[in-house]
Amino acid sequence: MNDEALLTAVRAGRTVEAAGLLDGMTDAERRSCLPALKALRKELRSAPWNAASRVAHPALHAAGAACHTGAAGAATWIAGVDMRWSQASPGVLLHVLGDRESDWLADLTHRLAARPTTSRVPFALLSGLVGLSGCAVPTTDSYVQGWLEHIGASWHSGDTVAQRLRKEPHLSVLITALFESLEVTSRIAWLFGDGPGSWYNALAELAEEGTLDREVLLDACVARLLRGGAPADQRVFLRLLLSLAPTRDEERERTADWTALACQAVPAVAWHAQSVLASLALDGELTHRQLAEMSSGVVFRTEKKLVRAQLILLGKVLKGDPSAADVLLPAVAEAFGHEDTEVQERALKLVERHVGALPDAADARARLEDLSADLSPGLRLRAQRALGVEAPGSASTVQEDVLPPVPERARLAPAPESVAELAEEVSAILASGGGVAAFERALDGLVRHAHRDPDALVEALGPVVARCWWKDRDPSYPVVDRSFRESAHGLEVVLAALFKGVGMDTLHAAVQQGPTGGNCRHSALSRALDARLWEAAHRLRTEPMPFLLATPTWDSGLLEPDELVERLTEYRRLDARPGTADFAQALLRVRRDDAATTAAAAARARALGSPEGYRLAQWLTSEGPLLPTVRRRTSGARVLLELGELEEIQGLFPREFRLLGRPLTAFKDHWYCRHWGATDQQHWPAVVPGRRELVAARLLSDFGAAAMEDGRVDTASLPLLAEADGTAGEALHLCLAYGLGARRPEERLAAVDALLILAARGQLDAGRLGADLGELVRRGALKKSRLAESIRTAAATGAYATVWSVLDGLLPVLLADLTADGAGGGAVRGLGELLAVAADCAERSGARGDLAHLADTAGRQGSSKVVAQARRLRTALTREEVVPVA
């Protein structure tokens, strides 16, 4: 009867009554109530989330906790996700659990405390269980975070944080755990607060009065900083360390820790560690060996402010004690390998100033000679003169350009012979996409096996398409057909047709009318690709084709004419009807650059006597591939291209393919574009192989948006265009220019890859690219700082001559703007970085000559980065030292 009364009270939400019933139950009686409570919990999980269902949750939460006689089961019940938002209060839970033995309660306490912080077990419950059981206080993330929030939430008591902490019986243990916790740090910054009543001041006050061990706190702060972590978390512990105000003796005792922090910590922490060590060094409390060890790590940091401060410190110590040169100068020379040439030059000046203090046979001198090899070529000559290892005027070694291997064309392997192998390849493409080769092989394989044995193909592909979004949809729900009517979705439309997941009316309409919606700049490419896929899907259900005609021979998308003639011959023998879109795609892909091969293939095609044979023969003997006329257009900061009509892709070509030859306007409204996240862009160059300018012109606005707005572009597009066949003309170079100045680093990196690929293939027009970059920078489409990062990345691969050839066309434009701007203004921003890369490339590639307006810039007064790097560049180009105007 007790179990029925308990269940009735729980259902009604009468928590006090349920707790009273539980007080008189034995363990056996409580266990007997569990099945009914679990059934009620399962029932409430599926009930609507409303007041009627929520009313029972607190009572159910308390009753289930009390009826579990095992600590593990009770902990799981209390921390259940479905109980979290409407659970019993900590006071009720402590009441119903209070009659348990202390060991049982201790076990429950530590099990609940070990739960992740996302379980949100109330701290009041955990601390209450600690008090009931008398167990050791847990030091888990959940308990420590709960305690931290509890202290912060006790402001209504009127006590300060320090007063609340003094009342904590486990203060030392919990403070130690606070420094060791990994999860608390994400919340600690705002929980620690600010102002006089913050945790920082409270802990410092308690350490000062001896309530907390000051040495333990200092060691904990330093240890936490050494561990590393997010900058925001590190700043919290740094601020706490500063609040403790370490004495000079305490700082000196931790010299090794400061050294490690200066070399490896986040900038804010490293800056503090460096300042502590600098103070010790200038007061003579840091040995020269310790300073050298610290410097060797700091000078390789990317934060130039830290590196400059370290070199200034070394200069001060050397000035005060020249005898330290044998120990400190090799540490200075470690900066010769820094990526920034300004840092290199600062270090070299310091070496030049103090190298005279070294004896001729000193080991330090030999070390300096070795490290001087890391300097840029121009600075290396200065170092060699200073060290007396090479006569003045000797030439530096010119470095040959290092470019990536030229991509080689690969033949497509035949379509998979077995349905099992084909299923594996289709699964891989659906999961992670695939290049042209994988996609075309799989598409051809689907068509071939659907013609041979469709039942076997369906059986093999069953597990592959089980999770496809269109599988097993309600036929009365039109989302599948509507989606496939808008786009073929790659191989999915063929698979859906095979499994009858898309209606015949939809496929027929797609083949006859094309996609729904308006046109955009990309439509010509996407419609040609989709037309072939829709046709394959439609024919698979009506008149299966034995194989595809347009499957390319090479991974670039090109199709050998002999292979196409052989396929048409086989179609003739089988009395099969070629697909209209498939044959049109085959024509666009067939290679026509070898007159002898095309003439022989044309004769064989004409001999077939079929309409397709005559059409192929006519196509092979025509001139091609042709490109349309190009017109450059500008509007505001943007530079785009317009294409004229391409008459050869008209006439007998299907409607969807004629768009490829229609004029392309630059600024006309092109309706809504659905291709912003298209995954089939990598296949577009293979739609018109040998005419990549057609693709580049249609992607140009995307690259412009990636540089000027917050648009995104497929990072693989530019490298793929660089690897594609055909003329590398105005459209491709403009795409490359926009890509080098794109907002996102990954897009700029893809543009660098494309630049190097074009250079390796001998197709980069460096003058054109430099002029395009200059125009876009001048119009405000590109930021010089982003462009400098891209150019520096390209140069770092070893392509110094290539990068210089681009900068040779870019810098005169920027220097002219600087001269016209007088004092500089916006023309200066980012120019110093570009000049630094140019100087490095000129030194390493052995470039000679001069640049327009460079002499004026180099002759200016001052030591700004623009002027300093202009002087360095002119010296590299002319081999003459530049003397600034007095």
Side-chain angles (χ1 to χ4, degrees), residues 209-419:
E209 69 188 28
T211 304
L212 288 173
D213 190 317
R214 176 183 174 82
E215 287 295 314
V216 171
L217 275 182
L218 284 172
D219 288 339
C221 281
V222 173
R224 190 62 199 233
L225 293 174
L226 286 169
R227 183 193 296 180
D233 299 335
Q234 293 290 83
R235 284 193 288 270
V236 170
F237 293 105
L238 174 61
R239 183 174 172 185
L240 179 56
L241 179 65
L242 295 175
S243 298
L244 295 172
T247 64
R248 177 51 63 93
D249 290 338
E250 290 169 337
E251 289 178 339
R252 190 188 312 107
E253 291 170 1
R254 295 168 175 82
T255 298
D257 296 330
W258 304 129
T259 300
L261 291 172
C263 297
Q264 301 174 6
V266 298
V269 177
W271 182 256
H272 173 71
Q274 185 187 48
S275 65
V276 171
L277 291 171
S279 178
L280 292 171
L282 294 175
D283 288 346
E285 299 183 68
L286 198 68
T287 67
H288 295 155
R289 189 67 60 189
Q290 288 174 318
L291 179 57
E293 178 185 352
M294 166 210 178
S295 301
S296 296
V298 173
V299 297
F300 279 109
R301 292 189 65 113
T302 57
E303 300 88 3
K304 288 186 285 186
K305 181 180 177 181
L306 285 168
V307 180
R308 284 196 299 267
Q310 192 66 25
L311 292 176
I312 291 172
L313 170 62
L314 289 167
K316 290 179 179 180
V317 174
L318 284 166
K319 183 178 180 180
D321 185 4
S323 65
D326 62 331
V327 176
L328 296 184
L329 280 186
V332 173
E334 293 284 353
F336 289 173
H338 198 278
E339 63 179 11
D340 192 294
T341 54
E342 285 189 3
V343 171
Q344 294 181 14
E345 187 169 12
R346 282 177 176 269
L348 179 55
K349 287 180 179 178
L350 198 54
V351 169
E352 289 172 333
R353 191 177 303 130
H354 297 281
V355 71
L358 292 176
D360 292 338
D363 292 339
R365 185 177 289 275
R367 178 61 177 158
L368 292 177
E369 294 175 8
D370 292 340
L371 291 173
S372 66
D374 296 331
L375 287 165
S376 64
L379 296 177
R380 191 184 311 146
L381 288 176
R382 280 178 51 184
Q384 290 168 345
R385 294 188 189 107
L387 296 171
V389 297
E390 186 171 328
S394 57
S396 61
T397 303
V398 175
Q399 299 183 16
E400 294 185 4
D401 237 20
V402 178
L403 295 171
V406 177
E408 295 183 1
R409 294 283 168 256
R411 273 187 174 270
L412 261 68
E417 286 294 332
S418 68
V419 290

